[in-house]
Amino acid sequence: MREEFGEVAASRSGISKWASIKTNNSERDVQKVVEKQGTKLNVPITTVISQNVPIPWISPRAWVQFLLSKGLWYRLAGLTFEERHLAPQVWGKFWENFRALNPHFSLFNKSDIDLTKVAGFFIHGDEGRTLKRSALMVTTLQSALGFGFDSKRARPLAEALKLKVNYTGHTMSTRFVVNVLPKSYYDDSPGVFHGVMKQLAQSLRDLTDNGVLDPITGERYRIAIIGCKGDLPYLQKVGGLTRAWNTGVKRGQEASKPKGVCHLCMAGTDNHIPAEDIASHNPSWLRTMGILLPWESTPTFIKHFYHDVSDPAQFYMPDIWHCYHLGVGKSFVASVVQISLPFIPAPNLDGKWAWLTSHYRQFCKNRKHQPHVTKISAYLMSYGDKTGAMGAWSKGALTTNFMRWLPHLIDTLPEDQDGILKKLKDAASSMNMMFSCLFSSPAFIDRNECIYAASLGMTFLKVYNEMAWVCFGARKPYLFPMYPKLHYLHHAFLKMELDSRSVGFSENPLLTACQQDEDTIGRTSRLSRRVSIRMPITRTLQRYLVLAHTVWVKAGMIHV
């Protein structure tokens, strides 16, 4: 390129600096050029010590200082530049709503903190894939509020103060990576991971207590962590949970004192508190919430963060998206397809799968959906898998497609004598309508919408529960398997219903869902697969800041 441009033009455009980079240490020299040309976010990468191991990271304080220096505080409230003056009112309303739902949150005992200048934040963590499919733990921070959903989904809000969820916008501009940790660092030494989490917690607590001064206005701004969200394995790991998704009694085992399956309640700890009771509006586990802590020693986050002192376990927030789109929804789809097979107009099994494939692809074409798969097969639908119809795909969007397709599929099949197919169609339609409601709602949902959404969710669970019993009696226990993710969905639906009746509104369950966070994890993990294995953490963070700079410039957040 330097030869094509000519020496003068190449020098003027900066290409000469790139052409002069030697191949024997290219990553180091690339970062030097990027630094000189100002094409990465100017956020410092520092080091913390955990178990005598130096771990590079981007401290939370560095992120907040950078945001304030660029005058971007208002974006944490989901506001545009023209609306920036509304940030104090937005956060004031947020904390007013949050207090009504969580009156025992210990932050509200601090009378010297101006909540209109405090941003509510979540911690999120998950493992991505780095070189040779090894795990990479990525930890991010994000504001609880944002720019809502896609404009095609969200309906206009009547309120002057629009409290919206943090979904719209490139995830590199709405999530802030603080640390990446290859599994080799913590696989044999879990203390390294927990040591980094302790440093993170201490830094974030300082940002709540002392905050950061805006260099322009001199005002003090703070962030307060209101919860840790992630998939169930991450919550178990970071919280040291002794009651979790994988601590129930396994098949063939007998336990006099089962540990239970839920950190929020005592479900599964006793025969009188079954976690499988998913069809009731008043299950026995409801009265056991908060009566026994789900850990043997206090987790780091609970030690350092403000939290609900009446029920500290609520700090660890299950993800409705993982539980449904990568769990229960897959099982439901696979089970419904298997039940539908006898009604498919094809002479043999191979013909039935081909017919289903053609029907699904035509549905996607008519609705202009991306199919995500080339064919529907026995393997995809767990046909013949006696361990449980779990669905052999790992893309949440495919679950969404299949759930939209099922009512259309059932409409084209002949009616069965017992009316089972109609019930399954109603269940699928109920979940589709529930998510349509949630995906068009603000961060806090009013009473009528809560009751509506919760009733749709409970309709689905009741049908799932009924079908599990029917299939069990028909010696097909592998269809509609009962497992802990159903219980967590039950929690989410009943919480909406109970909060709305007692307070008049509830949090949108999608506030703590993680589908957008998965994008951040995936992008960061891909960067880690392109750097030297000698300095994987530092080089990944450096490349992340380069990518984020490009995104922030395109979004108009910073100017070159």
Side-chain angles (χ1 to χ4, degrees), residues 195-209:
V196 173
M197 292 300 101
K198 180 180 179 180
Q199 300 268 7
L200 175 64
Q202 290 172 338
S203 176
L204 287 165
R205 177 58 183 261
D206 180 61
L207 283 175
T208 307
D209 290 341

Side-chain angles (χ1 to χ4, degrees), residues 39 112 248 476 511:
T39 53
D112 58 331
K476 296 179 180 179
L511 197 69

Side-chain angles (χ1 to χ4, degrees), residues 185-421:
Y185 279 71
Y186 61 87
D187 195 20
D188 296 327
S189 304
V192 173
F193 168 75
H194 292 291
V196 173
M197 292 300 101
K198 180 180 179 180
Q199 300 268 7
L200 175 64
Q202 290 172 338
S203 176
L204 287 165
R205 177 58 183 261
D206 180 61
L207 283 175
T208 307
D209 290 341
N210 300 314
V212 176
L213 288 177
D214 188 320
I216 300 173
T217 65
E219 293 184 278
R220 189 175 298 276
Y221 292 93
R222 311 167 194 264
I223 66 173
I225 302 298
I226 60 173
C228 174
K229 66 176 192 170
D231 60 12
L232 298 178
Y234 176 75
L235 296 184
Q236 182 183 28
K237 180 181 183 66
V238 77
L241 305 178
T242 55
R243 298 196 310 270
W245 61 285
N246 63 349
T247 57
V249 177
K250 306 298 188 294
R251 180 184 297 176
Q253 290 182 343
E254 292 186 6
S256 57
K257 293 183 179 180
K259 295 180 180 180
V261 299
C262 179
H263 66 280
L264 299 172
C265 68
M266 303 297 291
T269 60
D270 187 271
N271 289 334
H272 301 293
I273 316 175
E276 296 80 10
D277 181 15
I278 60 173
S280 172
H281 285 268
N282 187 29
S284 55
W285 55 257
L286 198 59
R287 295 177 288 279
T288 68
M289 292 182 65
I291 67 172
L292 182 65
L293 293 174
W295 46 69
E296 294 176 351
S297 59
T298 305
T300 296
F301 288 172
I302 300 300
K303 286 180 181 177
H304 292 92
F305 292 141
Y306 294 105
H307 58 274
D308 189 325
V309 295
S310 68
D311 189 4
Q314 289 188 27
F315 188 86
Y316 298 96
M317 300 172 168
D319 168 22
I320 188 175
W321 179 75
H322 269 99
C323 289
Y324 178 73
H325 288 85
L326 296 179
V328 174
K330 293 169 58 180
S331 297
F332 181 79
V333 169
S335 299
V336 171
V337 168
Q338 292 192 42
I339 282 185
S340 301
L341 283 176
F343 305 97
I344 301 297
N348 54 48
L349 196 55
D350 289 339
K352 291 178 186 292
W353 294 121
W355 187 93
L356 285 168
T357 298
S358 175
H359 192 277
Y360 170 68
R361 293 186 67 83
Q362 187 61 45
F363 170 82
C364 291
K365 182 178 179 180
N366 293 342
R367 300 293 182 90
K368 297 182 179 179
H369 296 324
Q370 175 67 31
H372 299 300
V373 290
T374 57
K375 66 178 181 178
I376 294 176
S377 64
Y379 170 76
L380 189 70
M381 294 298 168
S382 303
Y383 183 78
D385 188 348
K386 302 304 181 183
T387 62
M390 307 300 286
W393 64 90
S394 57
K395 192 172 184 64
L398 182 54
T399 305
T400 301
N401 269 8
F402 281 148
M403 287 298 292
R404 290 171 176 167
W405 168 63
L406 285 182
H408 183 66
L409 168 66
I410 293 172
D411 279 341
T412 61
L413 301 179
E415 291 186 15
D416 62 301
Q417 186 175 359
D418 300 322
I420 287 178
L421 290 180

Side-chain angles (χ1 to χ4, degrees), residues 495-512:
K495 179 174 174 22
M496 277 194 290
E497 181 179 313
L498 296 174
D499 282 350
S500 65
R501 296 189 187 280
S502 61
V503 180
F505 61 89
S506 181
E507 288 181 3
N508 189 334
L510 297 179
L511 197 69
T512 56

